[in-house]
Amino acid sequence: MKRKYLQVMVVLAAFSLFALLTIQLYWFNLAFNEQERQFNEKVNIALRAVAHGLLLASNDSITAIGPITQRATNDFYVPSNSPASYHLVDSLVRAQLAIYQLKTDYQLTFYQAKNNLVLLGNYWANTTPKRGAVEKNIACIGRDQAKTPINFSVSFPSKEAYLAGGMGIWLFTLFTFLLVLTVFAYMAIRMLKEKKLSEMKTDFMNSMTHELKTPLTNLSIASEVLHKKHDQLDEQKRIRYASIVFEETQRLQVQVEHVLQIAALERGQVSLKMQQVNINELISSIAQTAQVKIGQRNGSINLQLKAENAIIKADTHHISNVLYNLLDNADKYSPLPPEITLSTYNTTNGLVIAVADKGMGMNKATQKMIFEKFFRASTGDVQQGGGFGLGLSYVEAIVKAHQGWIDVKSKPNEGSKFEVFFQCA
């Protein structure tokens, strides 16, 4: 399946799941509002029954009960206008809430009916109090209270949590759906990554075929000439064809070694031979060797070795390969004659090796991918240079094996700068 079709299918599936989630949230909101409406109605009826009980306790069977005011989503004000004790009101409130199965915490407050000043009040948890606990917990209960008509309010601090707790099946289905959506998102991301990896592996196989085919063809031609026409060749031509065989054999060996190194790193089978290495001296030596190849393009390597403490504990062979890879990368992605700067400097607890070029640079998307196996930067549809897309993956693996880090800074058409950090010995 082509990648674009897979992406379309994933997008459509994601859209469908998000649409279902939206519907689920819509119905959850409707159910919650219905729960709240029923709660408010039950509280209203229960508190009217409390007001009715207070009037009956005052031998008043005529006075009409005023409307109960909902001052907030969780606060209900009852204009009872009846003289009553806190114990009586509280017992009636408890009884009525129990009748309507409203098992939640509440706060009961008394007001003077005349000027609506607060007289006393208390918060009650949804538990059965011990005998005598009421008198101890009510604010100001021990003080004399004037026998004047009172109004009262009942508020429910935990109303939202109480309503949500009564929607167990809805919450269960909502969280289950969110779990399914999370799993889908994870699988979709993994699927796209696997698809991309598969494409890069296919590209790797094509590149490897091309990279191996060229030296093999040259080897075949040169060896055939040496085998069939060695008597007809003068000494200079024999040396030339022998050099071709040697050079192409070395080229093949390097390519195969590169692949084997990556495979060994993945299996954790690379054993580092750690020793003290003077990075400044190693870079000077490598620069001289690399200059031969870069000089063929009229390029140059500028050394700025400013690290005063340049000794690290490292595997010389692999660190050399890291530097050669970074230099080769700078050369490969410099359309004009390469201008490469190799520098070192010390930090608080180590040193940094920087390889900077003035080549084609990279955008942010490419920078995120360059350390992935088989990835090769490209411009348009044209791949830049040869290789298998394993060089920077190998570099990162070796640097991490040395407990270091590697970073890249780059802008299109402004070059790239790779920085590698190692701890000093």
Side-chain angles (χ1 to χ4, degrees), residues 67-133:
I68 295 172
T69 305
Q70 189 170 352
R71 300 185 299 185
T73 57
N74 65 339
D75 184 76
F76 299 83
Y77 181 80
V78 184
S80 62
N81 201 26
S82 303
S85 67
Y86 193 97
H87 302 295
L88 175 60
V89 177
D90 180 62
S91 62
L92 289 174
V93 169
R94 286 177 182 271
Q96 290 300 321
L97 293 182
I99 289 173
Y100 290 96
Q101 298 183 341
L102 300 173
K103 300 177 181 179
T104 182
D105 304 346
Y106 68 90
Q107 181 170 319
L108 177 61
T109 307
F110 267 26
Y111 303 88
Q112 282 186 353
K114 182 179 180 181
N115 52 24
N116 216 36
L117 294 176
V118 175
L119 292 174
L120 53 87
N122 205 39
Y123 176 85
W124 297 102
N126 182 32
T127 56
T128 302
K130 296 180 180 179
R131 189 182 299 275

Side-chain angles (χ1 to χ4, degrees), residues 309 311-312 346-352 405 421-425:
N309 182 6
I311 306 299
I312 68 170
N346 286 114
T347 62
T348 304
N349 58 343
L351 67 83
V352 172
W405 53 256
F421 170 83
F422 295 108
Q423 290 183 344
C424 290

Side-chain angles (χ1 to χ4, degrees), residues 29-40:
N29 185 59
L30 287 182
F32 185 85
N33 291 337
E34 179 62 20
Q35 285 273 93
E36 186 175 30
R37 186 189 66 79
Q38 293 178 8
F39 178 89
N40 293 341

Side-chain angles (χ1 to χ4, degrees), residues 115-242:
N115 52 24
N116 216 36
L117 294 176
V118 175
L119 292 174
L120 53 87
N122 205 39
Y123 176 85
W124 297 102
N126 182 32
T127 56
T128 302
K130 296 180 180 179
R131 189 182 299 275
V134 173
E135 289 79 0
K136 294 179 181 179
N137 292 332
I138 300 175
C140 304
I141 192 65
R143 301 181 183 275
D144 293 333
Q145 301 296 331
K147 300 299 182 181
T148 58
I150 59 94
N151 298 326
F152 67 93
S153 70
V154 178
S155 60
F156 302 90
S158 305
K159 177 185 175 182
E160 302 292 332
Y162 172 76
L163 293 177
M167 301 179 66
I169 186 63
W170 285 94
L171 288 173
F172 175 77
T173 55
L174 180 60
F175 284 121
T176 301
F177 193 85
L178 288 174
L179 178 62
V180 171
L181 190 61
T182 302
V183 172
F184 168 79
Y186 173 77
M187 292 180 65
I189 292 172
R190 290 289 301 176
M191 189 184 305
L192 290 174
K193 284 186 176 180
E194 290 296 328
K195 180 65 176 176
K196 190 169 186 177
L197 181 62
S198 175
E199 291 174 351
M200 288 193 295
K201 284 184 176 179
T202 301
D203 184 56
F204 162 73
M205 293 302 297
N206 293 335
S207 299
M208 185 173 68
T209 301
H210 174 75
E211 290 291 325
L212 297 182
K213 185 176 181 180
T214 301
L216 284 173
T217 300
N218 293 338
L219 278 171
S220 177
I221 294 173
S223 59
E224 183 178 3
V225 170
L226 288 173
H227 176 68
K228 293 182 177 180
K229 301 181 179 181
H230 64 280
D231 292 334
Q232 304 172 20
L233 299 176
D234 57 33
E235 185 67 19
Q236 186 175 1
K237 288 185 177 180
R238 279 200 299 270
I239 293 174
R240 173 57 183 158
Y241 282 112

